[in-house]
Amino acid sequence: MNYQEALDWIHGRVAFGSRPGLIRIETLLKKLGSPEKKIKTVHIGGTNGKGSTLSMVRDYLIREGFYVGSFTSPYLVTFNERISLNGVPIADDDLTDLVQRIRPIVEEMDQETSVMHMTEFEIITAMMFLYFYEQQVDVALVEVGLGGLLDCTNVIHPLVSVITTIGLDHMDILGDSIEKIAYQKAGIIKSETPVVLGNLPVDATRVIRSVAMKQHSQVFEFGQDFNVSVFQKATDNGGKFHSKNESFDFEVALEGNHQLENAAVAIMTCQLLMPQLAHSFSVEKMQASLRAVRWPGRLEKIIDHPPIYLDGAHNEPAVMRLKEVLTQQWQDKHVTILFAAIATKDIQHMMALFQTIPNVTLKVTTFDYPRAVKKVGYVEAGLREEKWVSSWQTFISSYTSGEDDYLLVTGSLYFISQVREFILEEAYNWKK
């Protein structure tokens, strides 16, 4: 088996969809020697902000000299980046080797009714745990795939559990209310394990605190146990972190006030984590990490001339946070938004939010992906013909800007991934 054949086999499991539940992953991991029980972990869940928060924690731990595994999804550049060591994606040969070892076990399980049809995500998760154990990572940062309680990453007992944000998303699976979704997210809380909560709705916090109390787990809540006050600098977002024990200024290279909230969550997480790793917390290294960290596809300026940004605002809560940036930090710019989503999202409300922003012109398109919303779907959601873009590639390559104009490509992360590759790998004569 070569690398491409390994990828093809993994992707071939997509047909089994998303199947909440732990019986399949627990069976596979047991056959692999239960590697998930032999590594130290941090579990990071939430509707949005997981990847940015993880990247901040990872950069800090690397600066402290730790060997850090990280598991994220989806990918923006290469599939391998989902499983990384110190931020470096797994090598093709290592991924291929893992598939060759796991595939016979999975195909054997396919003959047993109770554990058949493992999904792509379940297989990748098992590969990740095995790889991190064999590579002897000091700590693994594990991002939840979907929800928490029944997500296949929820087989670990982490050093710290993190829930970054909670909003209405994946309601067909997680429930149709903030409270129901919060209960699913709270499923990653383990007994006597500290829990860090981001800026959550009151109803969500109430549910999560109830679950944490039953688990005898201490909760550290944004706005109560720690906070951030915001200030703006010429080039960076700035804030002051406050907690009961510490207060210090910091800057974050990632744009948007929501990234300052993510930074506060990352700081609190690192403060709780370091004593468990027999280290003390360093304010100076934390400040350096927050200034340095980058996360592709999150208000990422992908090209200067013309100025084009990418942002994976793939659900309504993320669009609301993006709206804050557009109205508060980019209010003196005219922004053309090129938007594309997948069919499980509330595209009507997402488009409506964009169209309430005075300095925004909305354009809508589709892209090559099985679940991408097609033109008819947008029309049914109220799209007017003049806002439709039939070819996003042509639109981007012919885009021109004035002095105060930006192009912001947003929506599904699968869409952002394709656009990012198009801009970086294709040669175009960009017009200024």
Side-chain angles (χ1 to χ4, degrees):
M1 179 181 287
N2 60 35
Y3 171 72
Q4 189 56 53
E5 290 169 338
L7 273 190
D8 291 344
W9 180 76
I10 293 172
H11 293 324
R13 310 296 295 195
V14 171
F16 300 125
S18 175
R19 304 172 67 208
L22 302 181
I23 184 172
R24 293 175 300 278
I25 187 68
E26 288 176 338
T27 301
L28 176 56
L29 288 170
K30 187 174 181 179
K31 291 176 180 292
L32 293 171
S34 300
E36 80 286 0
K37 300 183 186 300
K38 302 171 184 177
I39 56 176
K40 296 176 180 178
T41 58
V42 175
H43 210 180
I44 302 176
T47 302
N48 296 305
K50 298 186 294 294
S52 297
T53 302
L54 181 148
S55 68
M56 296 174 189
V57 174
R58 177 175 65 193
D59 190 280
Y60 173 77
L61 291 173
I62 293 171
R63 288 176 189 272
E64 288 283 11
F66 292 106
Y67 195 35
V68 185
S70 54
F71 182 58
T72 59
S73 60
Y75 66 92
L76 282 182
V77 183
T78 65
F79 179 87
N80 300 36
E81 70 193 51
R82 300 180 72 165
I83 302 173
S84 296
L85 292 173
N86 277 8
V88 178
I90 183 173
D92 291 356
D93 288 347
D94 289 339
L95 185 143
T96 303
D97 174 68
L98 288 168
V99 170
Q100 290 183 136
R101 294 158 60 192
I102 287 176
R103 179 175 178 174
I105 302 173
V106 171
E107 292 178 345
E108 179 182 309
M109 289 171 58
D110 281 341
Q111 307 306 311
E112 303 177 36
T113 304
S114 62
V115 291
M116 66 193 310
H117 299 161
M118 289 201 72
T119 68
E120 177 187 42
F121 188 71
E122 288 171 331
I123 289 168
I124 300 167
T125 299
M127 290 168 53
M128 172 267 297
F129 283 128
L130 181 59
Y131 185 63
F132 289 163
Y133 166 64
E134 293 182 342
Q135 293 295 316
Q136 297 183 313
V137 299
D138 295 312
V139 62
L141 308 178
V142 180
E143 183 182 312
V144 173
L146 176 61
L149 180 64
L150 300 177
D151 184 76
C152 69
T153 63
N154 199 28
V155 291
I156 52 178
H157 193 128
L159 300 177
V160 182
S161 299
V162 182
I163 302 175
T164 55
T165 61
I166 289 182
L168 296 174
D169 193 24
H170 298 294
M171 290 183 288
D172 55 326
I173 298 174
L174 302 180
D176 59 1
S177 70
I178 288 292
E179 293 87 348
K180 291 177 181 177
I181 293 172
Y183 181 76
Q184 291 294 320
K185 304 286 187 188
I188 68 171
I189 298 173
K190 301 300 190 300
S191 62
E192 300 181 352
T193 299
V195 184
V196 180
L197 304 184
N199 189 5
L200 308 185
V202 173
D203 292 341
T205 301
R206 187 183 305 114
V207 171
I208 293 170
R209 280 193 171 276
S210 175
V211 173
M213 185 178 298
K214 293 175 183 177
Q215 295 280 22
H216 305 287
S217 296
Q218 187 174 2
V219 174
F220 296 83
E221 179 187 344
F222 181 92
Q224 295 291 328
D225 303 285
F226 66 99
N227 209 333
V228 61
S229 55
V230 178
F231 64 82
Q232 294 294 322
K233 289 201 169 184
T235 56
D236 293 315
N237 290 319
K240 179 182 282 291
F241 174 80
H242 308 272
S243 72
K244 296 176 180 178
N245 301 318
E246 203 145 26
S247 178
F248 59 87
D249 294 340
F250 66 91
E251 297 173 7
V252 177
L254 299 173
E255 290 201 49
N257 288 347
H258 59 289
Q259 295 293 3
L260 298 176
E261 295 177 6
N262 290 336
V265 171
I267 294 167
M268 190 73 252
T269 301
C270 291
Q271 288 185 332
L272 294 170
L273 187 59
M274 293 308 286
Q276 299 186 71
L277 297 174
H279 273 63
S280 59
F281 176 77
S282 167
V283 171
E284 293 76 17
K285 289 178 181 177
M286 190 83 246
Q287 289 171 323
S289 292
L290 298 177
R291 284 195 300 267
V293 75
R294 300 292 188 274
W295 193 238
R298 275 66 170 185
L299 273 177
E300 176 189 13
K301 192 174 188 181
I302 194 68
I303 195 167
D304 290 322
H305 302 292
I308 300 178
Y309 287 78
L310 306 179
D311 189 74
H314 61 287
N315 53 37
E316 191 173 347
V319 171
M320 293 174 68
R321 299 314 299 258
L322 181 57
K323 180 179 176 179
E324 292 177 10
V325 175
L326 295 171
T327 56
Q328 297 172 15
Q329 295 168 251
W330 290 10
Q331 71 272 20
D332 59 340
K333 306 294 182 184
H334 177 263
V335 182
T336 298
I337 286 181
L338 181 62
F339 172 76
I342 60 174
T344 57
K345 305 302 178 179
D346 188 346
I347 58 172
Q348 185 172 14
H349 283 155
M350 294 167 76
M351 290 192 300
L353 279 169
F354 282 130
Q355 292 181 101
T356 62
I357 308 172
N359 58 322
V360 162
T361 297
L362 177 65
K363 295 292 184 178
V364 178
T365 190
T366 190
F367 62 106
D368 184 18
Y369 186 73
R371 292 185 291 162
V373 180
K374 307 303 180 185
K375 182 178 181 180
V376 63
Y378 292 113
V379 171
E380 291 173 353
L383 180 74
R384 298 197 302 272
E385 180 65 32
E386 68 269 18
K387 296 187 179 298
W388 175 250
V389 170
S390 57
S391 168
W392 61 263
Q393 294 93 335
T394 301
F395 183 85
I396 290 174
S397 60
S398 61
Y399 173 77
T400 59
S401 68
E403 184 177 348
D404 294 319
D405 294 346
Y406 288 170
L407 173 61
L408 173 61
V409 184
T410 190
S412 167
L413 287 166
Y414 299 105
F415 175 50
I416 299 306
S417 176
Q418 292 182 22
V419 173
R420 196 174 193 278
E421 181 180 13
F422 174 80
I423 292 175
L424 292 179
E425 293 188 3
E426 297 294 330
Y428 289 98
N429 294 317
W430 296 95
K431 300 177 181 179
K432 297 184 180 180

